[in-house]
Structures are given as structure tokens and as C-alpha cells.
Amino acid sequence: MSEVKQKAELAKKASMPFMSLTTKQKNDALNAMADALVEHQDLIISANEEDLQMGRDHGLSKSLQDRLAINAERIKDMSEGLRQIVNLKDPIGEQLEEIKRPNGLVISKIRVPIGVIGMIYEARPNVTVDAAGLSLKTGNAVVLRGGSSALKSNQKIVEVLRQALRTTDISEEAIQLIHDPDRASVNEMLKLNGLLDVVIPRGGASLIQNVVQNATVPVIETGAGICHTYIDEFADPQMAINIAFNAKVQRPSVCNAMETLLVHQNFAKEHFSALAEKYREADVQIKGNEEAKRIVSWIEDVSNDDYATEYNDYILNVKVVRNIDEAIEHIHTYGTKHSECIVTKNQDLATRFLQEVDATSVYHNASTRFTDGFEFGFGAEIGISTQKLHARGPMGLPALTSTKYNIYGTGQIKE
Amino acid sequence: MSEVKQKAELAKKASMPFMSLTTKQKNDALNAMADALVEHQDLIISANEEDLQMGRDHGLSKSLQDRLAINAERIKDMSEGLRQIVNLKDPIGEQLEEIKRPNGLVISKIRVPIGVIGMIYEARPNVTVDAAGLSLKTGNAVVLRGGSSALKSNQKIVEVLRQALRTTDISEEAIQLIHDPDRASVNEMLKLNGLLDVVIPRGGASLIQNVVQNATVPVIETGAGICHTYIDEFADPQMAINIAFNAKVQRPSVCNAMETLLVHQNFAKEHFSALAEKYREADVQIKGNEEAKRIVSWIEDVSNDDYATEYNDYILNVKVVRNIDEAIEHIHTYGTKHSECIVTKNQDLATRFLQEVDATSVYHNASTRFTDGFEFGFGAEIGISTQKLHARGPMGLPALTSTKYNIYGTGQIKE
């Protein structure tokens, strides 16, 4: 039997009694895992050093090296992350609905674990800890498949976490890591219907597309964000400039950062020059349409391909538009339904934008950078779902749960 | 452009303004559709006669002919079905959650349409009407692909429904029917990411498996039910016999009917003979394990393959078990996580069964035949989801919705 199938079966078997775990049992396990990470940090850091050495040998970029690197401070963050999960409310067992039927049946809808979660992700080893902790708190087993560049680090982390579980009520088999670095092992995971109940990809567009295109197991799609800010003619100028600047510059590498700024022509005439200057000082490269270039001559031409690009970088498209219709139409055409914003003092236009723009998160007068489980107050985040089924937007613990109906009768039979 | 893609694009475009439809606009459209079905029933019935003639020529079985047939009474039922949907609460726009953050952001989670729903189904033309009505009430456009044996009927029904929409505020393009009877048109639908937001298959196991195996669009899996009833040693004998009889015999052809009866050995010794006799009188063929055969000699041998078979017929497996552990273990092994039942007066055992058995619907002292949107009080049913994501169990209107976050700010930017 392949490694993938064998480990998925172990996870499935381990997950069976998880419906009955108490919150205390789960929290004790999370605390034991948090302790173990710190206790064995030297082992983890030296395994990580092997990955880093391999990365340097293979010309891994500086920024990817940085994402991969583990030091005492990052171990502390991972450990703290687990303790934060301890403090979150346990969603399992919660009654969501109670229906009393005329025939006397009482139907109770309750939250239950999903079962076994497959996580497929890239370089950052902290995802290994987060995914294990969030899965465990929600009563799920997890099969992890991290990037090959972090394999040694992930192996050691999982070894430490599993060892910690041995002192608890929870089977260490609940956390499985696939060691096989071959891409075929990912594709095998994607077809394990009956063993994996869901697959969650986290990483770049090509990883996510591979999962979406090849999975027969249900997927929660995360990721791509071509986000827009529309500055309406009735926007407060200072607020608009602050929001548009923040949405691009505060951290351009993330999915909720803005890629295209849409500006009403009347606002643009008065204020686009000042805003463009602010971007220039922050080394943002600007591409604009004809109307934008007529106001600020030094910006480059924008193409339709640019509008469809998630830069995740200090590059910005600017389109001066005639009105809100053109802005919404542009977002329909090029948006990825992630995070969109209107800045305006006109309540009717804001309401229309919030209603008509189809995205996980639509903002009135705030930066798109807030689309995030922590900023939404969930206390944790598995990722940001960009699909419409099951969970949409930032996913907290409930996104890792399913439901069932328990039905209480007194001998009812169907007529 | 292919028929499938063209129609999916028309549906997508039609669905765009649907977020803003009022409940009245949708209900007016549903009433117009209900009226039109009755008004044009002769056209529909004569198109259906063509399908039936073709079916008879091709040796379609009597029971499939029956499912396919449309008469005035069935038209009335379809029309009434639409009027029942009018009476259901509109889920769109409902606020599910409001989060106030320390920075002043107000985050409102609201129900929105999914977008475009693809329905792939078999013979019964009433699904065409149900799916169109349920989709419309939830603000979704729909692309329908019915079975080729019902093509003429479905074409006429959709023509009548679309014509009815012309007198309303809703674009007729919201209801699309694929005419191409080739299976390739199904497979094309399954890959239309970006145009279809979800595909829902309804039909036999091979149709559903084809969808699950080949779709890159998210799927809501419906269907297979290998359901069990476990009669515990502490069951009320008369109640147990009534429930076990009802679960098998009341309508064996449906997914929530029982396929395997598990009986505690102590109960079996005293009561299995009487129950078996009752089944025999109803022409139920029984297959049993050694322990069952020792009590009732005339039953046949059961195999592991039998335990894994959804008969949907007057055939029943009976397994006499030592205790509840063996019963739960059997359900874990052979169940399809659809509907499971324990009959017992022992509250602790009931609680354990309800907690440990993983299925959409777990019953204490009631027939599994109640797993159904109407019996659960939803007033409608799109199908019974047997997957763990998005919706599980009988699906009412909320299963055809998604959510979005609207975020209200006063200039907040991320620090």
C-alpha cells in the first residue's frame, strides 16, 4: 500500500472516536503540543537548518528562505498559536437548530467534526502546526502534505507533536505527514474519496489550480485575490487617499492587498495627482488607462492582461472611470470575488455597491486589508475561502466542522 | 461556441442582477410559472407522449415509464409545488451574524445567491420544475441537464416556464435547458468553473459517480443510502417491529429505506421469528447471518457484498449481533452515512449510538424513512446531501445559498 493511502487510513481510523472527545481532552492535547514545540526547539531548528542549506544549494530565493526559516522566536509564535486555539470556543456538539414536528419527532441539528482533513501547502512550516492544532480542536484528524523544501522541518515538527500526543487521550495517528516529495503523492491524496473528507490547498495559484482541477475529494478553494478599491466622486478625499494607499502598500504580497484602483473621473481630476505622488514616494509602479495618463503623465500604459494579474507586489493598475456602473462592471470582469471596497459619503451608492458586487468581503470606507480571520475576530484562520460552497471568506473553526441531525422519536413510522 | 457553454454564459449574465431582486419579484415569477404550467398542460402532455412512445419503442421498463409519464394530475402537482415555494421564507438578504470590532468595523454576514446552479438528473420531468423554482426563489440561475428519455417533455416544460418569465421582472435566460443528449454535454458542464458555481447530480449511483469523479466545479453529492436499523436488547418489542417493518416495506425504492437490520441476539431469540414472518407476508426476501438462520431457518445466506448493496427493493439483510459495539462497527464498515436508527429504551445506549454513528440523520426510536425535506419541515427539497461540506442531509432553500461579508467602516486602515 502506498504511503499516502496507508497514512490516510490510519488517520481515518484515529478519527472515528473523535466525535466523543471532550473539550478538555482536546485542550490538554493542544497544551502538550505547545509545550513540546518549545521543549524540543533545538531539534526542530537543526532540522530546519538542513532544509535551509538545501535551499541555498538549490538557489532558493531570499524571500522563500525567509518564509522557510525557523528560529526560537518563530517556535514561540507557533506554540503561542496553539495556546490561542485552546482559548477558542469548541464548536463541536453545538446545537444549531431544533425542529419539533407535528408528529412528535424532535430534530436536532448539531455541529460535528468533518472527519479527516487533507492539507496541501507550500514552504511555511508554521502551517504544519496551525493545521494540526485547528484540526485537533475541531475533532478532525489531518493528513499534511507540505512543500518538499520544508520536508525535514515538517518531519521534525510532526514527530514532536505526535510524541506529545502519546501522553494524552488522543491518538498520535490523528496527525499524519506525507514524506514522499513526489507530486504524485499530492495527486493520490486528491482522489482518496472515502478516506479524506476534504482537501484544503494553501499556496500559489498553480498549487491551487492543480488541486481544483484534479481532486475528486471535495475541496475548499482558497487564494487568489485581485482586489479593487473604487473611489467614488463623493468620497472624502483624505479618507480615500489613506484607504487606497493602505490597501496597496501596507503589505503588497498578500491576497487581500489591492491590485487595481478605480477612480471616478471627478475625484481623479482633483486628487489623483496627489495620490500618485504618494505612491511614487513608496516606490509603487503605476499603470493607468488613457484618462489616468491624461492627469498624471509619467504613469505607464495598462493592458487588459494587467487588469487580470495578481501582482502581490509594488505595482498598481489605475483606471479612471465615468461612474459606479463602469466600476462595478470592471470588478465583475476582472475581480476574483475576494475583497472589494467603495469609498464614498453617498449612502445609496454604497448600498448599491455592497449589494451588487459579488465577493467574499465588500467594504464601505475601509481598507481591503482587513479580510483575515484575526481581523474578523475569529481568533484563528485556516485560510480565506474564495468559493461559494461551505465557507466563504476568512475561515474560523466552524469552517472545519460539518453537521448532523439527531432525531428523537417515540416509535414514529412513516404513513 | 458549444451549446453548453453558450447557455451557461447566458445564465451567468442573467444571474448578475439577481442579488437585488425583491421577494415579491421572485414570487410573482413563480406564480406566473405555476399558472403557465396548467394553462399549457396540453402541450406538455403531448410532448411527454412523444417521450413515452420513444421509451416504449426502446423497451423502457414499466417503472421508468411510470416515472416519466405526465398527466393533468402531475401537472397540477408541479404547479402546486411552485406555489408552495412562493410560501417559503426568502432566505436571501438574511443577516446571519454581526460582528463589531474594537477598531469600529461592523462586519455583517448575509445570505446571498450562489450564482448559477447546474442540475444533472434522470427521468422524472418534475425535477425540471422543482429545480427551476427552487433556484429562482434563492436568486440563482439554473442550467438543467435532464435525462435524454425525457428530453421532449423537458423542452416543452422549460419553454412554457421561460415564456411565463417574459411577463415578469426576471430574465427568461435564468432557466436554461441543455438539449444535446450526448453524455459529452454532461462532462462539459462538470468543467465549467467560473460559469457554474455548483453542480448537483440527482439520480442513480453511476450518474452521481460520474459527476463526483469528473467535476472540477464544486459538487453537492446526493444519493446512496445503505441505511440500518439496530434493534437493541432493551427495545420495546412492538415498537421495534413496527419501525423495522416500516423502514423496509413502506417504500423500498427510496434512499432512506432500510437495507440491513441489525438485531441484538437477546432480542432476536424472542422476537425475530415474529418479525421475519411479518416480512414474509409482505414478500420481503431475507438474507441472514448464521445466528439469524439459527432462529429462522428459511432465510438465505448473506454475504459481505450483500451488506454493501443498496437494494432499493423488497430484499433485506439481517445480522444478529452480540452487542451495540458490533452494530456500530458494522455501520461504520458498510453504511453510506445516510440514515441510521437505534430502537432501545436504554437512554445511555441511545446517546452513545447518536454520538458515535456518523451519518446525516441518526434516529432514536423512529423510522429512517423520515429523512426528507418535507418531513423535516423545510417545505421543499433539492435532494439529500450525503457529503460533509456545505450541506448535509435533506436540503432546503438555504442549501442553495452562499454568504458574503459586508463591512462598514469609517476610514479604517490596517496598521
Side-chain angles (χ1 to χ4, degrees):
Chain A
M1 195 188 296
S2 71
E3 183 206 6
V4 168
K5 187 155 187 219
Q6 193 179 356
K7 289 185 171 173
E9 285 194 351
L10 286 169
K12 186 79 189 172
K13 198 158 164 230
S15 76
M16 294 280 190
F18 275 20
M19 307 246 180
S20 318
L21 289 176
T22 65
T23 303
K24 181 169 187 310
Q25 286 174 309
K26 294 186 282 192
N27 285 344
D28 286 349
L30 288 165
N31 280 321
M33 285 158 58
D35 291 340
L37 285 177
V38 174
E39 192 183 334
H40 301 291
Q41 59 178 306
D42 294 346
L43 293 173
I44 295 168
I45 290 168
S46 84
N48 181 249
E49 187 44 51
E50 289 184 59
D51 282 334
L52 284 169
Q53 187 55 53
M54 175 94 85
R56 286 187 291 264
D57 293 349
H58 288 75
L60 197 69
S61 75
K62 283 274 178 218
S63 74
L64 284 179
Q65 282 183 43
D66 177 60
R67 287 163 71 113
L68 175 56
I70 300 177
N71 52 31
E73 198 191 322
R74 285 192 173 176
I75 297 259
K76 190 159 162 277
D77 287 346
M78 292 180 202
S79 176
E80 280 308 310
L82 290 174
R83 292 194 207 282
Q84 281 168 22
I85 296 172
V86 169
N87 291 327
L88 295 178
K89 185 169 162 281
D90 185 349
I92 300 303
E94 186 192 350
Q95 177 172 291
L96 300 172
E97 222 179 320
E98 189 180 73
I99 306 163
K100 292 182 182 169
R101 299 295 301 153
N103 62 7
L105 285 182
V106 177
I107 302 174
S108 169
K109 183 177 186 176
I110 55 169
R111 268 200 205 285
V112 296
I114 290 182
V116 183
I117 294 168
M119 283 287 302
I120 297 172
Y121 53 104
E122 284 171 344
R124 291 189 303 174
N126 65 311
V127 176
T128 306
V129 177
D130 285 355
L134 293 166
S135 298
L136 202 149
K137 180 81 182 206
T138 44
N140 296 294
V142 67
V143 177
L144 302 160
R145 171 54 164 80
S148 53
S149 62
L151 184 57
K152 300 270 183 204
S153 313
N154 287 335
Q155 281 177 328
K156 191 52 75 179
I157 288 170
V158 168
E159 190 185 314
V160 166
L161 296 179
R162 285 171 56 109
Q163 203 178 329
L165 288 183
R166 276 180 223 152
T167 65
T168 75
D169 292 340
I170 292 178
S171 163
E172 63 183 292
E173 304 297 354
I175 305 176
Q176 299 289 340
L177 177 74
I178 304 303
H179 292 194
D180 181 359
D182 196 280
R183 177 117 169 209
S185 66
V186 169
N187 289 330
E188 191 181 352
M189 278 177 74
L190 301 181
K191 309 278 187 195
L192 283 184
N193 300 60
L195 289 177
L196 299 187
D197 295 289
V198 60
V199 172
I200 304 175
R202 282 189 61 178
S206 81
L207 180 148
I208 290 168
Q209 275 313 303
N210 178 50
V211 170
V212 169
Q213 292 300 318
N214 294 302
T216 53
V217 172
V219 173
I220 300 179
E221 188 173 349
T222 66
I226 298 181
C227 304
H228 302 78
T229 302
Y230 168 56
I231 304 181
D232 181 51
E233 67 178 312
F234 305 112
D236 176 276
Q238 197 52 53
M239 184 193 287
I241 289 172
N242 287 345
I243 287 174
F245 187 76
N246 184 262
K248 178 76 250 179
V249 173
Q250 197 262 347
R251 197 172 169 202
S253 63
V254 291
C255 59
N256 57 22
M258 170 178 65
E259 304 297 358
T260 297
L261 176 64
L262 303 164
V263 192
H264 190 283
Q265 53 188 358
N266 295 346
F267 186 95
K269 270 178 217 141
E270 298 218 23
H271 305 288
F272 179 46
S273 296
L275 178 54
E277 204 47 48
K278 210 165 139 75
Y279 281 128
R280 179 148 72 170
E281 284 164 18
D283 285 329
V284 176
Q285 174 191 349
I286 304 182
K287 306 182 179 195
N289 68 347
E290 280 310 311
E291 291 73 6
K293 291 181 68 177
R294 233 174 277 141
I295 298 164
V296 177
S297 60
W298 55 265
I299 64 180
E300 298 165 38
D301 285 333
V302 69
S303 70
N304 287 347
D305 282 351
D306 291 328
Y307 288 139
T309 300
E310 185 179 7
Y311 297 118
N312 285 338
D313 205 346
Y314 289 86
I315 312 173
L316 176 69
N317 304 316
V318 176
K319 185 181 197 177
V320 172
V321 296
R322 285 184 312 281
N323 50 38
I324 190 174
D325 300 86
E326 194 181 345
I328 292 177
E329 178 64 29
H330 181 96
I331 293 170
H332 276 164
T333 307
Y334 294 104
T336 54
K337 303 188 188 340
H338 191 299
S339 298
E340 311 292 353
C341 167
I342 183 171
V343 187
T344 186
K345 286 187 286 192
N346 182 313
Q347 199 54 55
D348 290 343
L349 291 177
T351 300
R352 196 185 143 197
F353 188 90
L354 265 64
Q355 191 162 45
E356 292 185 14
V357 170
D358 181 21
T360 77
S361 309
V362 187
Y363 293 81
H364 178 206
N365 291 345
S367 168
T368 56
R369 288 281 293 107
F370 288 106
T371 304
D372 166 316
F374 295 94
E375 292 293 346
F376 275 33
F378 300 162
E381 184 185 282
I382 300 103
I384 297 170
S385 164
T386 50
Q387 69 183 27
K388 294 202 177 170
L389 294 194
H390 186 67
R392 194 173 189 212
M395 294 187 285
L397 290 182
L400 292 184
T401 69
S402 181
T403 59
K404 75 190 280 194
Y405 291 103
N406 282 337
I407 301 108
Y408 302 89
T410 50
Q412 283 83 350
I413 58 173
K414 177 123 170 176
E415 303 296 322
Chain B
M1 194 186 298
S2 71
E3 183 206 5
V4 168
K5 189 156 185 219
Q6 193 180 354
K7 290 186 170 173
E9 286 193 350
L10 287 169
K12 186 78 187 173
K13 198 157 164 234
S15 76
M16 293 280 190
F18 275 21
M19 308 244 181
S20 319
L21 289 175
T22 65
T23 302
K24 181 169 186 310
Q25 286 174 309
K26 294 187 282 192
N27 286 344
D28 286 349
L30 288 165
N31 280 322
M33 285 159 59
D35 291 342
L37 285 177
V38 175
E39 191 183 333
H40 301 291
Q41 59 179 308
D42 295 345
L43 294 174
I44 296 170
I45 290 170
S46 84
N48 181 250
E49 186 45 50
E50 289 184 59
D51 282 334
L52 283 170
Q53 186 56 51
M54 174 96 83
R56 286 188 290 264
D57 292 349
H58 288 74
L60 196 69
S61 74
K62 282 273 175 217
S63 74
L64 285 178
Q65 283 184 41
D66 177 61
R67 288 162 71 114
L68 175 56
I70 301 179
N71 52 32
E73 197 190 324
R74 286 192 173 174
I75 297 258
K76 188 158 163 277
D77 287 346
M78 294 180 201
S79 176
E80 280 307 310
L82 290 175
R83 292 194 205 282
Q84 281 168 22
I85 296 172
V86 169
N87 291 327
L88 295 178
K89 186 170 160 280
D90 185 351
I92 301 302
E94 185 190 352
Q95 177 171 288
L96 300 172
E97 224 178 318
E98 188 180 74
I99 306 164
K100 293 183 180 167
R101 299 294 302 153
N103 62 6
L105 286 181
V106 177
I107 303 174
S108 169
K109 183 177 186 176
I110 56 169
R111 267 199 207 286
V112 295
I114 290 181
V116 184
I117 295 168
M119 284 288 303
I120 297 171
Y121 54 102
E122 285 172 340
R124 290 191 303 175
N126 64 310
V127 176
T128 306
V129 177
D130 285 355
L134 294 165
S135 298
L136 202 149
K137 180 81 182 205
T138 45
N140 296 294
V142 68
V143 178
L144 302 160
R145 171 54 164 84
S148 52
S149 63
L151 184 57
K152 299 272 184 204
S153 313
N154 287 334
Q155 281 176 328
K156 191 51 75 180
I157 289 171
V158 168
E159 191 185 313
V160 166
L161 297 179
R162 285 171 55 110
Q163 203 178 329
L165 287 183
R166 277 179 224 154
T167 65
T168 75
D169 293 340
I170 292 178
S171 164
E172 65 183 294
E173 303 297 352
I175 305 176
Q176 299 288 341
L177 176 74
I178 303 302
H179 292 193
D180 181 358
D182 197 281
R183 177 118 168 207
S185 66
V186 169
N187 289 330
E188 190 181 352
M189 279 178 73
L190 302 180
K191 309 280 187 195
L192 284 185
N193 300 61
L195 289 178
L196 299 186
D197 295 289
V198 60
V199 171
I200 305 176
R202 282 188 62 178
S206 82
L207 180 147
I208 291 167
Q209 275 314 302
N210 178 51
V211 170
V212 169
Q213 292 301 316
N214 294 303
T216 54
V217 172
V219 173
I220 299 179
E221 188 173 348
T222 67
I226 298 181
C227 304
H228 301 79
T229 302
Y230 169 56
I231 304 180
D232 181 51
E233 67 178 310
F234 305 112
D236 175 276
Q238 196 53 52
M239 183 193 288
I241 288 172
N242 287 346
I243 287 174
F245 187 75
N246 184 262
K248 179 75 250 179
V249 174
Q250 198 262 346
R251 196 171 168 202
S253 62
V254 290
C255 58
N256 58 21
M258 170 176 66
E259 303 297 359
T260 297
L261 174 66
L262 304 165
V263 191
H264 190 284
Q265 56 188 356
N266 295 345
F267 186 95
K269 269 178 218 140
E270 299 218 22
H271 305 289
F272 178 47
S273 295
L275 178 53
E277 204 48 47
K278 211 163 139 74
Y279 282 127
R280 178 148 72 170
E281 284 163 18
D283 286 327
V284 176
Q285 173 191 350
I286 304 181
K287 303 181 181 197
N289 67 348
E290 280 310 311
E291 291 74 7
K293 292 183 65 177
R294 233 174 279 140
I295 297 164
V296 177
S297 58
W298 54 265
I299 64 180
E300 297 164 38
D301 284 334
V302 68
S303 70
N304 288 346
D305 281 352
D306 291 328
Y307 288 139
T309 300
E310 186 179 6
Y311 296 118
N312 285 339
D313 204 346
Y314 289 86
I315 311 173
L316 175 70
N317 304 316
V318 176
K319 186 183 197 176
V320 172
V321 296
R322 286 185 312 280
N323 51 37
I324 190 174
D325 301 86
E326 194 181 343
I328 292 176
E329 177 65 29
H330 181 95
I331 293 170
H332 275 164
T333 308
Y334 294 103
T336 53
K337 302 190 188 343
H338 191 299
S339 298
E340 311 291 354
C341 166
I342 182 171
V343 186
T344 185
K345 287 187 285 191
N346 182 312
Q347 199 54 55
D348 291 343
L349 291 177
T351 300
R352 197 185 142 198
F353 188 90
L354 264 62
Q355 190 160 48
E356 292 184 15
V357 170
D358 181 21
T360 77
S361 308
V362 188
Y363 292 81
H364 177 206
N365 291 345
S367 168
T368 55
R369 288 280 294 108
F370 289 105
T371 304
D372 165 315
F374 294 93
E375 292 294 345
F376 276 33
F378 300 162
E381 183 185 283
I382 300 104
I384 297 170
S385 164
T386 51
Q387 69 183 26
K388 293 200 176 173
L389 294 192
H390 186 67
R392 194 173 189 213
M395 295 188 283
L397 290 183
L400 292 184
T401 68
S402 182
T403 59
K404 77 190 281 194
Y405 291 102
N406 282 337
I407 301 109
Y408 302 89
T410 50
Q412 283 83 350
I413 58 172
K414 178 125 171 174
E415 302 294 323

